[in-house]
Structures are given as C-alpha cells and as structure tokens.
Short mmCIF file of all heavy atoms in Angstrom, two decimals:
data_model
loop_
_atom_site.label_atom_id
_atom_site.label_comp_id
_atom_site.label_asym_id
_atom_site.label_seq_id
_atom_site.Cartn_x
_atom_site.Cartn_y
_atom_site.Cartn_z
N GLN R 40 191.83 195.35 202.38
CA GLN R 40 190.43 195.79 202.33
C GLN R 40 189.51 194.58 202.37
O GLN R 40 189.82 193.54 201.80
CB GLN R 40 190.16 196.58 201.06
CG GLN R 40 190.85 197.92 201.02
CD GLN R 40 190.39 198.74 199.83
OE1 GLN R 40 189.21 199.00 199.68
NE2 GLN R 40 191.34 199.12 198.99
N GLY R 41 188.37 194.74 203.01
CA GLY R 41 187.37 193.69 203.02
C GLY R 41 186.94 193.33 204.42
O GLY R 41 187.58 193.71 205.41
N PRO R 42 185.83 192.58 204.52
CA PRO R 42 185.26 192.25 205.83
C PRO R 42 186.14 191.34 206.68
O PRO R 42 185.91 191.19 207.87
CB PRO R 42 183.94 191.58 205.48
CG PRO R 42 184.09 191.12 204.07
CD PRO R 42 185.05 192.06 203.41
N GLY R 43 187.18 190.74 206.10
CA GLY R 43 188.07 189.90 206.88
C GLY R 43 189.01 190.70 207.77
O GLY R 43 189.63 190.16 208.68
N THR R 44 189.12 192.00 207.53
CA THR R 44 189.96 192.86 208.35
C THR R 44 189.08 193.59 209.36
O THR R 44 188.14 194.28 208.98
CB THR R 44 190.73 193.88 207.48
OG1 THR R 44 191.56 193.18 206.57
CG2 THR R 44 191.58 194.80 208.35
N VAL R 45 189.38 193.39 210.63
CA VAL R 45 188.58 193.99 211.71
C VAL R 45 189.32 195.19 212.28
O VAL R 45 190.51 195.11 212.59
CB VAL R 45 188.31 192.97 212.83
CG1 VAL R 45 187.53 193.60 213.97
CG2 VAL R 45 187.57 191.75 212.28
N VAL R 46 188.59 196.30 212.41
CA VAL R 46 189.12 197.48 213.08
C VAL R 46 188.38 197.59 214.41
O VAL R 46 187.15 197.68 214.45
CB VAL R 46 188.92 198.75 212.24
CG1 VAL R 46 189.42 199.98 213.00
CG2 VAL R 46 189.63 198.63 210.90
N ASN R 47 189.13 197.50 215.50
CA ASN R 47 188.56 197.59 216.84
C ASN R 47 188.54 199.05 217.29
O ASN R 47 189.56 199.72 217.22
CB ASN R 47 189.38 196.76 217.83
CG ASN R 47 189.35 195.29 217.48
OD1 ASN R 47 188.31 194.66 217.54
ND2 ASN R 47 190.50 194.75 217.09
N LEU R 48 187.37 199.50 217.73
CA LEU R 48 187.21 200.87 218.21
C LEU R 48 186.80 200.87 219.67
O LEU R 48 185.88 200.14 220.05
CB LEU R 48 186.14 201.61 217.40
CG LEU R 48 186.32 201.70 215.89
CD1 LEU R 48 185.13 202.41 215.26
CD2 LEU R 48 187.63 202.39 215.54
N ALA R 49 187.46 201.68 220.49
CA ALA R 49 187.03 201.91 221.87
C ALA R 49 186.32 203.27 221.86
O ALA R 49 186.91 204.27 221.46
CB ALA R 49 188.22 201.93 222.81
N VAL R 50 185.06 203.27 222.29
CA VAL R 50 184.24 204.47 222.24
C VAL R 50 183.94 204.94 223.66
O VAL R 50 183.60 204.14 224.54
CB VAL R 50 182.93 204.20 221.47
CG1 VAL R 50 182.02 205.41 221.47
CG2 VAL R 50 183.25 203.79 220.03
N SER R 51 184.04 206.24 223.87
CA SER R 51 183.84 206.83 225.19
C SER R 51 182.37 206.80 225.62
O SER R 51 181.48 207.10 224.82
CB SER R 51 184.34 208.27 225.19
OG SER R 51 184.04 208.90 226.43
N THR R 52 182.17 206.47 226.88
CA THR R 52 180.84 206.57 227.49
C THR R 52 180.73 207.86 228.32
O THR R 52 179.72 208.10 228.96
CB THR R 52 180.54 205.37 228.41
OG1 THR R 52 181.56 205.28 229.41
CG2 THR R 52 180.47 204.08 227.62
N GLY R 53 181.81 208.67 228.27
CA GLY R 53 181.84 209.91 229.04
C GLY R 53 182.72 209.77 230.26
O GLY R 53 183.47 208.80 230.40
N PRO R 54 182.66 210.74 231.16
CA PRO R 54 183.53 210.72 232.34
C PRO R 54 183.38 209.45 233.17
O PRO R 54 182.29 208.89 233.29
CB PRO R 54 183.08 211.94 233.14
CG PRO R 54 182.43 212.84 232.13
CD PRO R 54 181.80 211.92 231.12
N CYS R 55 184.50 209.03 233.73
CA CYS R 55 184.51 207.84 234.59
C CYS R 55 183.82 208.16 235.91
O CYS R 55 184.00 209.25 236.46
CB CYS R 55 185.94 207.39 234.84
SG CYS R 55 186.83 206.92 233.33
N PRO R 56 183.02 207.22 236.40
CA PRO R 56 182.35 207.47 237.68
C PRO R 56 183.36 207.50 238.83
O PRO R 56 184.39 206.85 238.77
CB PRO R 56 181.40 206.28 237.83
CG PRO R 56 181.91 205.23 236.91
CD PRO R 56 182.69 205.93 235.83
N VAL R 57 183.05 208.29 239.83
CA VAL R 57 183.89 208.35 241.02
C VAL R 57 183.05 207.95 242.23
O VAL R 57 181.85 208.19 242.27
CB VAL R 57 184.47 209.77 241.25
CG1 VAL R 57 185.57 210.06 240.26
CG2 VAL R 57 183.41 210.82 241.18
N THR R 58 183.69 207.37 243.20
CA THR R 58 183.02 206.98 244.43
C THR R 58 183.21 208.11 245.45
O THR R 58 184.33 208.52 245.73
CB THR R 58 183.60 205.68 244.99
OG1 THR R 58 183.47 204.66 243.99
CG2 THR R 58 182.89 205.26 246.26
N VAL R 59 182.12 208.60 245.96
CA VAL R 59 182.17 209.66 246.96
C VAL R 59 182.23 209.00 248.34
O VAL R 59 181.38 208.18 248.68
CB VAL R 59 180.93 210.58 246.87
CG1 VAL R 59 180.98 211.66 247.94
CG2 VAL R 59 180.83 211.20 245.48
N PRO R 60 183.26 209.34 249.12
CA PRO R 60 183.39 208.70 250.43
C PRO R 60 182.30 209.17 251.40
O PRO R 60 181.79 210.28 251.30
CB PRO R 60 184.78 209.15 250.91
CG PRO R 60 185.05 210.41 250.17
CD PRO R 60 184.33 210.29 248.86
N ASP R 61 181.94 208.29 252.32
CA ASP R 61 180.98 208.64 253.37
C ASP R 61 181.72 209.44 254.43
O ASP R 61 182.62 208.93 255.09
CB ASP R 61 180.38 207.38 253.97
CG ASP R 61 179.33 207.67 255.04
OD1 ASP R 61 178.98 208.85 255.24
OD2 ASP R 61 178.86 206.71 255.67
N VAL R 62 181.35 210.69 254.59
CA VAL R 62 182.03 211.56 255.55
C VAL R 62 181.13 211.90 256.74
O VAL R 62 181.42 212.82 257.50
CB VAL R 62 182.54 212.85 254.87
CG1 VAL R 62 183.62 212.52 253.85
CG2 VAL R 62 181.40 213.61 254.21
N THR R 63 180.06 211.14 256.88
CA THR R 63 179.13 211.37 257.98
C THR R 63 179.88 211.27 259.31
O THR R 63 180.62 210.33 259.56
CB THR R 63 178.01 210.32 257.95
OG1 THR R 63 177.38 210.34 256.67
CG2 THR R 63 176.98 210.58 259.04
N GLY R 64 179.68 212.28 260.15
CA GLY R 64 180.28 212.28 261.49
C GLY R 64 181.70 212.80 261.54
O GLY R 64 182.27 212.88 262.61
N GLN R 65 182.27 213.16 260.40
CA GLN R 65 183.63 213.69 260.40
C GLN R 65 183.61 215.20 260.57
O GLN R 65 182.62 215.86 260.28
CB GLN R 65 184.34 213.33 259.10
CG GLN R 65 184.57 211.84 258.91
CD GLN R 65 185.36 211.53 257.64
OE1 GLN R 65 185.94 212.43 257.02
NE2 GLN R 65 185.40 210.27 257.26
N THR R 66 184.73 215.74 261.02
CA THR R 66 184.85 217.19 261.11
C THR R 66 184.88 217.76 259.69
O THR R 66 185.15 217.04 258.73
CB THR R 66 186.14 217.61 261.84
OG1 THR R 66 187.26 217.19 261.06
CG2 THR R 66 186.21 217.01 263.24
N GLU R 67 184.64 219.06 259.61
CA GLU R 67 184.64 219.69 258.29
C GLU R 67 185.99 219.53 257.59
O GLU R 67 186.05 219.20 256.41
CB GLU R 67 184.30 221.18 258.40
CG GLU R 67 184.25 221.87 257.05
CD GLU R 67 183.92 223.36 257.14
OE1 GLU R 67 183.55 223.85 258.23
OE2 GLU R 67 184.03 224.02 256.11
N SER R 68 187.06 219.72 258.31
CA SER R 68 188.38 219.61 257.69
C SER R 68 188.69 218.17 257.26
O SER R 68 189.26 217.92 256.19
CB SER R 68 189.48 220.14 258.61
OG SER R 68 189.52 219.40 259.82
N ALA R 69 188.31 217.19 258.08
CA ALA R 69 188.53 215.79 257.72
C ALA R 69 187.68 215.39 256.52
O ALA R 69 188.13 214.70 255.62
CB ALA R 69 188.25 214.89 258.91
N ALA R 70 186.42 215.86 256.52
CA ALA R 70 185.52 215.56 255.40
C ALA R 70 186.02 216.19 254.11
O ALA R 70 186.02 215.56 253.06
CB ALA R 70 184.11 216.04 255.72
N THR R 71 186.48 217.43 254.19
CA THR R 71 187.00 218.12 253.02
C THR R 71 188.22 217.38 252.48
O THR R 71 188.36 217.17 251.27
CB THR R 71 187.38 219.58 253.36
OG1 THR R 71 186.21 220.25 253.81
CG2 THR R 71 187.96 220.30 252.14
N ALA R 72 189.10 216.96 253.35
CA ALA R 72 190.30 216.21 252.94
C ALA R 72 189.91 214.89 252.29
O ALA R 72 190.49 214.50 251.27
CB ALA R 72 191.22 215.98 254.15
N ALA R 73 188.93 214.20 252.83
CA ALA R 73 188.51 212.92 252.28
C ALA R 73 187.87 213.08 250.91
O ALA R 73 188.11 212.27 250.00
CB ALA R 73 187.54 212.23 253.24
#
C-alpha cells in the first residue's frame, strides 16, 4: 500500500476508428465487397 505502488489502467476511448475505402468508379458488387 502507498503511493510507491503504481497501478496502470488502460481506459477505453470507445470503438476503434475504421478506414472506409474509396469505391468511387467501382461497380456496385466491387464496392460492396470492398
């Protein structure tokens, strides 16, 4: 016990960001797959 003992906490910032691919000019099926 005491301030010499450190407890490390990892705290959530929420869902991880995702990169949305650029599907401009692709067919609907190719864009959906991407």
Side-chain angles (χ1 to χ4, degrees):
Q40 291 188 58
T44 299
V45 178
V46 177
N47 297 295
L48 303 178
V50 177
S51 175
T52 57
C55 298
V57 286
T58 302
V59 178
D61 182 6
V62 295
T63 305
Q65 295 184 13
T66 64
E67 181 180 351
S68 61
T71 300

